[in-house]
Amino acid sequence: MQIIDKLSILADAAKYDASCASSGAPKRSSEGKSGLGSTDGMGICHSYTPDGRCVSLLKILLTNFCLYDCQYCVNRRSSDVPRARFTPEEVVTLTLDFYRRNCVSGLFLSSGIIRSADYTMEQLVRVAKLLRKEHEFRGYIHLKTIPDADPALIAEAGRYADRLSVNIELPTDASLQTLAPEKNIGSIKQAMQTIYTGEQTVLNEPRAPKFAPAGQSTQLIVGADDTDDSTILHGAQALYGNFRLRRVYYSAFSPIPDSPKSVPLAAPPLMREHRLYQADFLLRRYGYSADELLKGPGNLALDIDPKLAWALQNREVFPLDLNRAEASLIARIPGIGLRTTERLVELRRQRRIRYEDVARMRCVLAKAKPFIITSDYHPQQAEVTSHLLYQQLRDRPAPQQMGLWG
Amino acid sequence: MINLDCDDLFDTWRQQARWLLSHEIDPSLVSWAAEGVGDLFASDHPVPEGQGPFQARIPRALLDTLENAARYRGDQRWSLLYEVLWRVSHGDRTAMMAGDKLGSELQRRIKQVSREAHHLHAFVRFIERPKALPGPQYVAWHEPAHDILHSASEHFIGRMGRHRWLIATPRDGVYYDGEQLIHERRCPPEWQQLAQNVDDPHGDLWLTYYSHIFNPARLNPKVMQGHLPVRFWKNLPEGELIPQLITQARMGKQQDGQASGISTRAGKRIALKGVERSG
Ligand code: SF4
């Protein structure tokens, strides 16, 4: 089979993984050196596909042959898809070719499980090692970690890769047992622990060889089973806490060809995925807790964003005086982001903040208005009930349609 | 009115601005000509000679900010900067801040400039020239909307190592010869030709990848266009694929994510018999 045919099959098989980030790597440069590649911590999106997703890395599988039978996965052994397998050298050639063209900032390599977990992991590590050692490649490498692989192999992977990831895929044990019978949460968490330990070991040793400096991430599939958002967000919070994960990716279950009866045939719940990302961002960057966003069981609202939802449920906090309120509270005002918060604080050191100042900043004024006070403005809506505000501020038209056609 | 021309060079503008400031010439009395058209000192205002008495202390950070904003191509490119300089040097720091009318515009320009630098890092596409040829090994054609080429292309020195590369634009151009970066304010026509007439015999690999990593079940052209503005499509090899991928996805391929080229191939289920399994 020609390399281009393999590429078409093995890229098609890799598209269900949401992550394509190339951020978080340490500063590396090839200036004046042989070899190729640099990283500077910031990711670069070299292109966007018409699904709105960023293309930052060459994201492919080494092979889509797989011994497992995960029901949500297009590569499961019972799936009737064309199969292919790259040699490690072919992956290296493609990575370097795309990199020189400036089409990607590196490689994200994953694989179906062939022969054994160890064998598969060895193959992945080999590609990374070839790139780093033989070709002095200093671009970004993200390796998928095979949960049951020998910890020594995972440790080796961490020396070549910027990022490692172990996908949880299904948010609960029970779902994993029904939909991915060969996997188990125990070995997935074990692998995360191995990576976490590797990171911690080099943390305070400046001269130790680097270990996965861009940290680890995972992916959860949303909508393949009936797990609710509350369970998902509390799970994500635990992962951020326990293993210091950099990112949890949420991937709306995307119907696959030749779909088994155990998973839905419906279109992917893109708006739900979007709300989970927003909520996740609030967890990571704004200091919200999962309990604040969803106390009991249930799902995030589709027609309002989670920050607005929180504000509507906590009206006693608002309206906030932008000239006085603490920065961490200002950041909780709907429509006002972290950057705008910083700018407001900077500006009020110089003079009193007026309404038109806020209007000129990059914020969603319609959302912020009922929740702010400035030196010349007090919201009439402060007295309006949350229900009415919700009616005024919710998204229209129907969110499902926005997700697909927006 | 004092009319000045700085030939769109920040250093020239800086000298002029320092001189204006030393005479405390109010921003409303000064304008800078758009590129090439102003005649120098065609002024109906008496123009003082030499440096004036007012000594403004200009923080380094402000100069960096102004230099950054100066890369923005647009109306009032230089007079806006003078107004900011004027207000800050007279004690009003809000002139640099979002929220203030002038400061918001300054920050907007800086944001546009940094976005455009990012677009260069992202959307430049190098094509390899035949190995035996002298000169650049990799060439690219790019059309930035602001004057970011020189400063932003340093990024490629770290990325490309000792390789020799060239980026040509309709205005300026850069060439890295393996050791140093050469910037030409008027891109030599030979460079432009090198960049625009180059064969790419292996370009189909990237196009194949691009078509197959796209998930038609998640079609969302609006989000895509927000990140990848249409003006870049014509210089991206994948640009011409975009409309057809969108159309195909709309024609009922939203049920699942597989690309059409894959579904027509013979599939293969995998039997477990005889293979060793672990995990
Ligand atoms: S292990 Fe499961 S999820 Fe991974 S490729 Fe195989 S079938 Fe798909």
Side-chain angles (χ1 to χ4, degrees), chain A residues 14 28 49 135 177-178 183 189 205 226-227 281 376:
Chain A
R28 286 193 297 261
T49 38
H135 298 274
Q177 270 165 33
T178 22
K183 290 187 172 169
K189 298 229 161 129
E205 311 245 350
D226 54 11
T227 310
F281 196 65
D376 57 349

Side-chain angles (χ1 to χ4, degrees), chain A residues 61 63-77 110-113 169 180 182-183:
Chain A
L61 301 190
T63 177
N64 65 339
F65 283 95
C66 190
L67 295 175
Y68 287 13
D69 209 30
C70 311
Q71 297 294 290
Y72 50 81
C73 176
V74 64
N75 305 312
R76 71 193 184 283
R77 64 168 187 268
S110 181
S111 182
I113 314 252
E169 307 287 19
E182 286 99 344
K183 290 187 172 169

Side-chain angles (χ1 to χ4, degrees), chain A residues 15 46-47 104 273 406, chain B residues 125 159 209 218 222 238 257:
Chain A
K15 71 173 69 160
H46 289 274
S47 195
V104 298
E273 177 192 282
Chain B
R125 291 290 183 267
R159 188 175 161 106
Y209 177 70
R218 299 177 57 107
K222 226 193 215 160
E238 65 268 33

